[in-house]
Amino acid sequence: MKILISSRGGYCYGVQRALDIAHDAASDSQGPIHTLGPIIHNPGVVNRLAEAGVSPVDKPSQVESGTLILRTHGVTPQVIAEAKERGIRIVDATCPYVKVAQEKASSLQQQGYLPIILGEHEHPEVVALVANAGERAAVVENAEELKIGTVKGKKVGVVVQTTQASGNLAALAARLAPACRELLIHNTMCNATQKCQDEALKLARKADAVIVIGGRNSANTTRLAQLCAEVQPRTHHIEDVEELQPEWFAGAGTVAITAGASTPPEQMDAAARWLEDNSP
Ligand code: SF4
């Protein structure tokens, strides 16, 4: 069996940076250290950080003192204000690409555009983008969701959740352009996501089966698995190598392996070892 491992899979720049920040905080800080939500969608990594003294909380009100680390998705200005009011030290690990998206969302509102956020309604990154874009902002997950009457003849600005697929943005732009008086699109998709998706699709086209590793509640990994499944229906999204089943790879001459941005890259090597040991 030929095994193709993505060179772009696993921790992206923002996640690696956030983990480094959390580990530095664990060794330098006095008092309790918390992350606002799990630092990444990977239970194993979250457990190891907890052993190092960094544990997740759901909201600032659960923290009495010490340090609160903001994860890559970013938070609303209200959350930062609440933490500051409580005298909690904030360590901001928001990914710099997400910060740019937040700044663009805020600038749309200041420049009088009707802000449209392309992204998942309840995703924390999108919630923070909406908070930056102001109360006129609308969220759509795809072009079909857009109510065209709400943008007709208006000055519309778009900001994109960093992990969106480029096809989704292209479809929204095509729907908006003929309807709006003016259209400004900030393509705030992150390069890391796009490169990981492109590489995964390249490998998936050459493979008879695909393994995508990462948390099931990770938007980034779920989208990666969806895209791979479109070109190779024998795509399997797993959280852990232990989930792999030999029958998934029956008759497969080539298997591609990739991983979402919150997956330690060594898990791709572990999947490759499993295939070598278990392939028929
Ligand atoms: S996927 Fe992109 S935007 Fe998200 S944390 Fe990674 S580098 Fe940052």
Side-chain angles (χ1 to χ4, degrees), residues 165 201 204-205 223-235:
L201 288 175
R205 285 190 190 99
R223 187 155 301 106
L224 190 61
Q226 283 165 350
L227 289 171
C228 289
E230 283 169 18
V231 298
Q232 176 45 265
R234 290 176 74 185
T235 292

Side-chain angles (χ1 to χ4, degrees), residues 71 73 119-128 130 139 141 161 219:
R71 59 187 175 170
H73 300 318
E120 290 149 84
H121 289 277
E122 303 301 330
H123 192 282
E125 181 188 327
V126 174
V127 171
V130 171
V139 179
E141 290 202 5
Q161 181 184 5

Side-chain angles (χ1 to χ4, degrees), residues 12-15 72 95-98 125 162-163 190-193 220 261:
C12 61
Y13 154 74
V15 165
T72 56
C95 176
Y97 292 125
V98 175
E125 181 188 327
T162 51
T163 48
C190 140
N191 236 346
T193 303
N220 171 296

Side-chain angles (χ1 to χ4, degrees), residues 170-186:
L172 179 66
R175 184 126 202 262
L176 278 169
C180 306
R181 174 165 56 88
E182 187 182 326
L183 177 61
L184 173 62
I185 294 179
H186 290 297

Side-chain angles (χ1 to χ4, degrees), residues 4-13 97 191-203 213 220 224 257-263 265 268:
L4 307 172
I5 300 181
S6 171
S7 58
R8 300 279 185 183
Y11 288 160
C12 61
Y13 154 74
Y97 292 125
N191 236 346
T193 303
Q194 189 63 55
K195 285 181 178 163
C196 177
Q197 290 173 351
D198 290 348
E199 174 76 1
L201 288 175
K202 199 168 94 188
L203 298 186
I213 313 171
N220 171 296
L224 190 61
I257 303 172
T258 187
S262 50
T263 305
M268 291 189 290

Side-chain angles (χ1 to χ4, degrees), residues 239-258:
E239 283 193 344
D240 193 280
V241 171
E242 284 173 10
E243 295 168 40
L244 290 171
Q245 307 287 329
E247 59 270 24
W248 291 350
F249 308 100
T254 303
V255 177
I257 303 172
T258 187

